[in-house]
Amino acid sequence: MRLNHLFFSLFCCFASCKGGSNDTTTIITPPPAGDLPTDVTFWLTKADKTVLLTKQKVSLLFKDTVNVFPTIKVDEGSQYQSIDGFGYCLTDGSATLINKLPSATQDALLKELFGTDSTSIGVSYLRVSIGASDLSATPYTYDDIPAGQTDVNLDHFSIGQQQSDLMQVLKRIVAIAPKIKILGSPWSAPVWMKDNGSFVGGSLKPEYYATYAQYFVKYIQAMKAEGIVIDAITPQNEPLHGGNNPSMVMQATEQATFIKTALGPAFKSAGITTKIICYDHNADRPDYPAAVLQDADAKQYVDGSAFHLYGGSIGNLGQLHDAFPDKNVYFTEQWVGAPGDFASNLQWHITNLIIGATRNWSRNVLEWNLASDPSYNPHTDGGCSTCMGALTISSDVTRNVAYYIIAHAAKFVKPGSIRIATNVTSQLDNVAFKTPDGKRVLIVINNAGTTQSFNIQFNGKVVTPTLTNGAVGTYIW
């Protein structure tokens, strides 16, 4: 055992665990009393859950020391994209479960999630469904009418079905974090606009393109009237997956046509500045957003492209950015499948999303559902039945692996932070940022099979921390 590792073992603040392989009821541990002199603050999560997002009582002082350890060089002279935030998808089901908590518990939980003080994790970005997602109790849209009828003027449009839970929780969140960015994505258009008349699958009929564009306009205006600003929308969640409930297929050529002939002009005419982000599906089909962006008439209305990683390589995000450097890249969804395994999920998500997506130009990283119950409800008939929330909510609140995945970035990398250059060495995958207040944040995961000591080099000096295998460290100076 290395001396540094022994030092950590003696002085780390260990957190308690409860439940299965992914579950823990631990919340953020307050910084330990009597901190040692240090240039670098270090927060740690271990793969075995013995330490969970805990500030370490350790002295990391920059020195001129030369040693044999691998070195991560942090260079703020090379800067890349600005960061919009890190967070979750606030599904209808998540909101229902949160809203069932006692008021005081709910207030404390939302402050922990969305506050910015030392006891909070600072979630700064949310995705919500426009109408139902598959993690709503039932499928619905904002304009559901009897079969055989149409509503071209959208006279029956209403967001009322989301008033009782989603809107109430959103309003409490916005009161805590008024600058939070919110992305809206539909799982389906109203079924009377679709060629199969069903919530599942089917495509938007071209004769309803203009009507559906006004549906988005009305949504953004209705949310604004409730005090909720929608920063961006995608025209369709997972447009190449028609088997979910609800879902809708929208091919790339259809999306480009919808954007350039209907959605973009409708936003412009209504004075709406909400961003339009295309695609919103897996990284294995970068040709889809490329096709939209190659259409000059559509491209003028599009801010960027959104990705999930249920297929493909995270590096495809960087390749799309290189092809269209004037357009942004976003990462908008990734689930944790139940029951899962804490160590492997922590490693995969930190490596591919927190580090991989941002190293490939993504301005955000969103995990999937914020909350589920112990049976992974609620969900629609045919919707995801094994989606583990970042929180499990029953009579109490359990924090799962996605909570710590996002917290290791959101708590320290504030919106407006800029990614800066680092190298990857010795399976120490990492990414670094410069925050708006001038601090540097380095997130490192040890993907080697053994404990590693390593150097963080900045301005010619080094500090030498140690990480056990599978552990994640966030370093701030």
Side-chain angles (χ1 to χ4, degrees), residues 45-92:
T45 293
K46 287 189 173 183
D48 63 4
K49 300 190 290 184
T50 55
V51 181
L52 293 165
L53 192 65
T54 306
K55 184 179 178 183
Q56 299 303 286
K57 189 176 180 182
V58 59
S59 180
L60 292 171
L61 299 171
F62 279 108
K63 299 177 181 178
D64 295 321
T65 306
V66 177
N67 57 49
V68 298
F69 298 126
T71 298
I72 298 171
K73 298 178 181 178
V74 179
D75 176 16
E76 65 181 10
S78 297
Q79 301 191 353
Y80 304 94
Q81 81 276 22
S82 178
I83 297 300
D84 285 348
F86 298 87
Y88 304 98
C89 302
L90 179 65
T91 61
D92 285 346

Side-chain angles (χ1 to χ4, degrees), residues 400-442:
N400 301 319
V401 66
Y403 174 95
Y404 298 100
I405 291 163
I406 290 298
H408 260 280
K411 184 173 177 65
F412 312 102
V413 185
K414 300 305 181 185
S417 296
I418 304 292
R419 180 170 67 91
I420 56 178
T422 60
N423 62 301
V424 176
T425 179
S426 303
Q427 296 181 275
L428 294 163
D429 290 271
N430 67 83
V431 66
F433 307 89
K434 186 174 182 179
T435 68
D437 61 358
K439 292 185 177 180
R440 296 93 190 164
V441 178
L442 175 69

Side-chain angles (χ1 to χ4, degrees), residues 381-392:
D381 183 12
C384 182
S385 60
T386 54
C387 284
M388 173 180 283
L391 309 172
T392 299

Side-chain angles (χ1 to χ4, degrees), residues 12 26 30 40-41 52 144 150 204 256 290 294-295 320 383 391 397 472:
C12 290
T26 301
V40 179
T41 304
L52 293 165
D144 295 329
T150 61
L204 182 66
Q294 284 164 357
D295 186 320
L320 185 75
L391 309 172
V397 178
V472 181

Side-chain angles (χ1 to χ4, degrees), residues 11-17 24-33 35 41-45 49-57 112 117-121 399 403-404 407 411-412:
F11 288 100
C12 290
C13 292
F14 294 107
S16 61
C17 303
T24 172
T25 53
T26 301
I27 61 172
I28 299 170
T29 305
D35 283 353
T41 304
F42 168 32
W43 290 70
L44 175 68
T45 293
K49 300 190 290 184
T50 55
V51 181
L52 293 165
L53 192 65
T54 306
K55 184 179 178 183
Q56 299 303 286
K57 189 176 180 182
E112 175 191 332
D117 64 16
S118 62
T119 63
S120 304
I121 66 169
R399 290 148 187 85
Y403 174 95
Y404 298 100
K411 184 173 177 65
F412 312 102

Side-chain angles (χ1 to χ4, degrees), residues 83-357:
I83 297 300
D84 285 348
F86 298 87
Y88 304 98
C89 302
L90 179 65
T91 61
D92 285 346
S94 299
T96 297
L97 292 168
I98 291 171
N99 223 20
K100 287 180 178 179
L101 292 169
S103 182
T105 303
Q106 187 179 156
D107 286 345
L109 177 63
L110 293 178
K111 182 176 178 295
E112 175 191 332
L113 290 169
F114 300 98
T116 56
D117 64 16
S118 62
T119 63
S120 304
I121 66 169
V123 170
S124 48
Y125 205 117
L126 285 176
R127 181 173 178 232
V128 297
S129 60
I130 299 175
S133 75
D134 59 307
L135 295 190
S136 300
T138 58
Y140 67 90
T141 73
Y142 299 138
D143 202 322
D144 295 329
I145 54 178
Q149 297 184 21
T150 61
D151 183 24
V152 177
N153 294 325
L154 301 176
D155 294 327
H156 297 283
F157 179 95
S158 172
I159 62 170
Q161 192 150 341
Q162 290 182 325
Q163 286 285 358
S164 58
D165 289 323
L166 182 70
M167 294 304 302
Q168 297 308 309
V169 173
L170 272 178
K171 287 177 181 179
R172 297 176 88 160
I173 291 169
V174 169
I176 296 167
K179 294 183 179 180
I180 193 166
K181 282 185 164 53
I182 301 172
L183 167 70
S185 302
W187 267 237
S188 176
V191 299
W192 53 269
M193 296 186 190
K194 299 171 70 175
D195 59 10
N196 70 346
S198 170
F199 278 112
V200 179
S203 298
L204 182 66
K205 292 182 177 181
E207 59 262 38
Y208 292 119
Y209 279 12
T211 301
Y212 196 40
Q214 290 303 315
Y215 182 93
F216 282 89
V217 170
K218 282 183 169 288
Y219 166 71
I220 292 164
Q221 293 173 336
M223 295 295 277
K224 185 177 181 180
E226 297 286 344
I228 309 297
V229 176
I230 301 299
D231 180 73
I233 59 91
T234 61
Q236 176 60 40
N237 169 68
E238 299 192 341
L240 298 177
H241 175 32
N244 204 355
N245 182 22
S247 60
M248 187 171 77
V249 175
M250 183 180 279
Q251 300 294 339
T253 53
E254 294 174 310
Q255 188 162 115
T257 300
F258 174 58
I259 290 170
K260 71 184 180 183
T261 66
L263 187 61
F267 277 21
K268 184 176 181 180
S269 177
I272 286 176
T273 58
T274 297
K275 303 179 187 77
I276 298 172
I277 301 172
C278 71
Y279 190 43
D280 206 4
H281 207 169
N282 291 333
D284 59 349
R285 290 293 305 274
D287 60 300
Y288 186 118
V292 175
L293 296 175
Q294 284 164 357
D295 186 320
D297 292 330
K299 181 183 180 183
Q300 65 178 318
Y301 297 113
V302 176
D303 174 85
S305 308
F307 289 88
H308 309 172
L309 197 58
Y310 305 114
S313 167
I314 199 67
N316 288 340
L317 279 65
Q319 292 181 22
L320 185 75
H321 170 269
D322 292 344
F324 301 94
D326 57 330
K327 297 299 178 182
N328 292 312
V329 174
Y330 301 89
F331 192 90
T332 50
E333 181 188 318
Q334 194 70 27
W335 80 322
V336 173
D341 172 76
F342 187 96
S344 60
N345 281 318
L346 181 73
Q347 182 179 33
W348 191 92
H349 286 246
I350 292 287
T351 302
N352 287 284
L353 307 187
I354 300 299
I355 294 170

